[in-house]
Amino acid sequence: MAESNIDRGVRALRDRKKHYSIFSLARQARNYHQGWQQAWRHAEPKAEYDAIIIGGGGHGLATAYYLASVHNMTNIAVIEKGWLGGGNTGRNTTIIRSNYLWDESASIYEHAMKLWEGLAQDLNFNIMFSQRGVLTIAHSEHELKEMSRRVHAIRLNGIDSDILSPEEIKKFVPIMNMDQNIRYPVMGGFLQKRGGTARHDAVAWGYARAADDMGVDIIQNCEVTGLRRQGRRIVGVETTKGLIKSRKVGCVVAGHSSILADMAGIRMPIASRPLQALVSEPIKPILDTVIMSNAVHMYISQSDKGEMVLGAGVDKYNSYAQRGSFPVPEHMLAAAVELFPVLSRLRMLRHWGGIVDTCPDASPIISRTDIDGLYFNCGWGTGGFKATPGSGHVFADLIANDRPNDIAAPYALSRFETGLLIDEHGAAGVAH
Amino acid sequence: MLEIKCPYCGLRDEEEFGCGGEAHIARPLADNPISDKDFADYLFYRDNPKGLFLERWRHSAGCRRWFNVARDTVSHQILEVYPMGAKPSTKAGRAAYEASWRRQSPAEAAARNIPQKTRKTSTSKR
Ligand SMILES: Cc1cc2nc3c(=O)[nH]c(=O)nc-3n(C[C@H](O)[C@H](O)[C@H](O)COP(=O)(O)OP(=O)(O)OC[C@H]3O[C@@H](n4cnc5c(N)ncnc54)[C@H](O)[C@@H]3O)c2cc1C
Ligand SMILES: [Zn+2]
């Protein structure tokens, strides 16, 4: 039935009320902020959906959003065992960049970067995307040479990338220790000016709110415990809230991908490892960019609240406990204090780990499986936050059309049989 | 921090060790016909259980020798440490060994079949 004028008017009014803007902020301020509505509904599962996304992290929520907004699939659900963004999405150090070596990587990370640049407007949500630049530093002659090779490759792909000399670094980051007689002397670096950070929780919330607005059911506190198959075809998921039917299921569960694969009787080339980060007490602004060092596995930025955000390298053994081993942050902090002596008396307020899904070639898996209708998006490991919009966008396309587009195609599971790996290990060192 | 009991040096801090990932992966031998898909099992696919995991460790900053460890990936508790070439001796360790999909993988079957094959050819009078 066609929508009547009155219905349309009511909907427009409701939408306007829901729309976030400076005016809605002022309006709410007048009412002591009593009138804000829930950003998304607490949906209970229906018996059946056209598609189910397992995992309410950034990638799962982005997938749902693009399924609804690009492919008009609105009878879909996102199923999350905990709370939205409680996995790696809410645990990462939020570095965004697209300066990867290989063409396949450049194409997906740059796709994401372009989406980031308009995302706050698309979602009508302040994701605090800040293109403050990402500077990767080199500590040896060899690293510097490898870096310039990478910079040229990145530029050939049309992605911004500049080599900085120690003098330029000194000017760009005054608090960095440029003494050449330290354990990790800074011999140069390369900068992606369009790189930066975004508020991780806001990314999850923004996608959730926008997807919910189009009718997507977001079901939290609901764990998938089994995948229901009929022969070689997926027909539904078993959950702590009962069986939910669907002939298309996308798994976006990061560190738990092997567990979900096991439920379907398939396997993944993935090892689940803790990755750790820390934040300090808030201080006055001292760092207005992001610094990464691959050699010492250290990356640092300052949040808008003033906390110093520090990330370490990945732990050396498999774990599903969201805490890491102590020597890893200790090693990172030793290098951080040497590079930034100003940090030495800072107190750390919080320290945590997230379970990341590491892949043999340090590139993700965006793929169909041997089970019809079952798709996996995983293997982002230590560096998938930056890809969130791009990953969701191409994965939605894969699920809707049951074939990968050009960006997603190289990331099929079959690469582990053909040998067409996208080896970003040597290229990127750590891939945050 | 884990404390790991090196079978040769005794109890040491985790920092002295390197972890080599999943244990008991048999290498398919060259003269065994095996598909690319099955070879990928050997090369890239890994057991990644939430619970007891059988893995290889090396005392890299000590005696530099390899050995096996049965460790829980949720509690991090180490159930047993046993030498290379041996199988786990605890009940749970043995069960984890038998339950691993790898015991059924064609790659491992190929590795296991080779001695039988050579035995066969030497006794048959072909
Ligand atoms: C400390 C740390 C620092 C990082 N730093 C960066 C960085 O600076 N830049 C960058 O680009 N990347 C970084 N990353 C990586 C990045 O966080 C991840 O690659 C990315 O967030 C993955 O998003 P996701 O949506 O796939 O996974 P997640 O956010 O982990 O979402 C997966 C969800 O699936 C749910 N789930 C699991 N099992 C089930 C089940 N059975 N049923 C229902 N739901 C289930 C989980 O609860 C979880 O919420 C970092 C990661 C960590 C841990
Ligand atoms: Zn030893």
Side-chain angles (χ1 to χ4, degrees), chain A residues 49-55 58-79 123 207 210-212 214-217 246 248-252 373 375 377 389-403:
Chain A
Y49 291 97
D50 295 340
I52 289 175
I53 304 299
I54 307 173
H59 289 229
L61 292 162
T63 306
Y65 169 75
Y66 293 115
L67 273 173
S69 64
V70 179
H71 305 280
N72 283 320
M73 289 180 66
T74 52
N75 181 32
I76 63 175
V78 177
I79 300 178
L123 300 179
Y207 272 121
D212 172 88
M214 288 179 286
V216 175
D217 280 355
S246 184
K248 281 177 189 261
V249 173
C251 284
V252 204
Y375 309 88
N377 181 342
S391 158
H393 194 260
V394 301
F395 194 48
D397 188 73
L398 171 63
I399 293 175
N401 299 314
D402 194 40
R403 54 106 196 89

Side-chain angles (χ1 to χ4, degrees), chain A residues 222-270:
Chain A
C222 178
E223 181 170 353
V224 171
T225 52
L227 294 173
R228 185 72 67 92
R229 274 163 46 182
Q230 229 163 52
R232 300 307 294 172
R233 143 127 250 140
I234 194 91
V235 292
V237 303
E238 284 149 26
T239 77
T240 45
K241 295 191 176 182
L243 173 73
I244 312 174
K245 286 197 231 158
S246 184
R247 292 172 73 79
K248 281 177 189 261
V249 173
C251 284
V252 204
V253 293
H256 278 76
S257 297
S258 302
I259 310 296
L260 267 289
D262 202 43
M263 291 177 193
I266 58 173
R267 289 186 299 280
M268 288 288 150
I270 280 182

Side-chain angles (χ1 to χ4, degrees), chain A residues 138-268:
Chain A
H139 302 290
S140 70
E141 201 60 45
H142 171 79
E143 227 189 332
L144 206 57
K145 291 211 170 101
E146 156 64 28
M147 195 171 264
S148 52
R149 174 204 175 212
R150 214 194 313 168
V151 163
H152 292 304
I154 292 164
R155 282 190 170 177
L156 284 175
N157 276 319
I159 295 167
D160 68 305
S161 188
D162 296 294
I163 291 268
L164 261 55
S165 68
E167 295 71 43
E168 288 167 315
I169 292 178
K170 178 81 220 165
K171 239 186 258 157
F172 188 57
V173 191
I175 61 168
M176 188 127 68
N177 181 1
M178 299 303 290
D179 191 334
Q180 291 300 301
N181 292 316
I182 57 175
R183 172 70 183 84
Y184 298 104
V186 180
M187 304 184 73
F190 83 112
L191 173 68
Q192 182 176 25
K193 289 196 188 115
R194 287 158 67 238
T197 55
R199 168 100 197 268
H200 48 17
D201 300 318
V203 173
W205 299 335
Y207 272 121
R209 174 171 166 272
D212 172 88
D213 220 28
M214 288 179 286
V216 175
D217 280 355
I218 292 163
I219 303 159
Q220 299 180 73
N221 296 313
C222 178
E223 181 170 353
V224 171
T225 52
L227 294 173
R228 185 72 67 92
R229 274 163 46 182
Q230 229 163 52
R232 300 307 294 172
R233 143 127 250 140
I234 194 91
V235 292
V237 303
E238 284 149 26
T239 77
T240 45
K241 295 191 176 182
L243 173 73
I244 312 174
K245 286 197 231 158
S246 184
R247 292 172 73 79
K248 281 177 189 261
V249 173
C251 284
V252 204
V253 293
H256 278 76
S257 297
S258 302
I259 310 296
L260 267 289
D262 202 43
M263 291 177 193
I266 58 173
R267 289 186 299 280
M268 288 288 150

Side-chain angles (χ1 to χ4, degrees), chain B residues 31-49:
Chain B
D31 53 347
N32 240 297
I34 179 169
S35 69
D36 288 351
K37 193 171 167 47
D38 294 338
F39 199 67
D41 273 353
Y42 161 71
L43 216 46
F44 297 119
Y45 283 72
R46 289 293 175 265
D47 210 5
N48 187 22

Side-chain angles (χ1 to χ4, degrees), chain B residues 1-96:
Chain B
M1 171 109 69
L2 294 181
E3 283 188 325
I4 301 169
K5 193 167 180 188
C6 169
Y8 312 101
C9 312
L11 213 56
R12 299 295 176 96
D13 282 351
E14 149 189 346
E15 264 181 296
E16 293 185 15
F17 296 86
C19 182
E22 184 184 344
H24 309 297
I25 305 176
R27 191 188 204 292
L29 296 172
D31 53 347
N32 240 297
I34 179 169
S35 69
D36 288 351
K37 193 171 167 47
D38 294 338
F39 199 67
D41 273 353
Y42 161 71
L43 216 46
F44 297 119
Y45 283 72
R46 289 293 175 265
D47 210 5
N48 187 22
K50 188 174 186 172
L52 199 60
F53 188 33
L54 309 179
E55 52 195 6
R56 292 169 306 175
W57 282 76
R58 190 169 79 125
H59 193 187
S60 28
C63 64
R64 303 180 60 83
R65 291 215 252 179
W66 286 94
F67 54 92
N68 295 310
V69 173
R71 186 182 59 90
D72 190 297
T73 59
V74 181
S75 68
H76 293 185
Q77 192 199 349
I78 293 173
L79 189 67
E80 63 174 308
V81 172
Y82 54 101
M84 291 312 276
K87 305 232 170 84
S89 60
T90 55
K91 203 167 161 224
R94 273 203 309 274

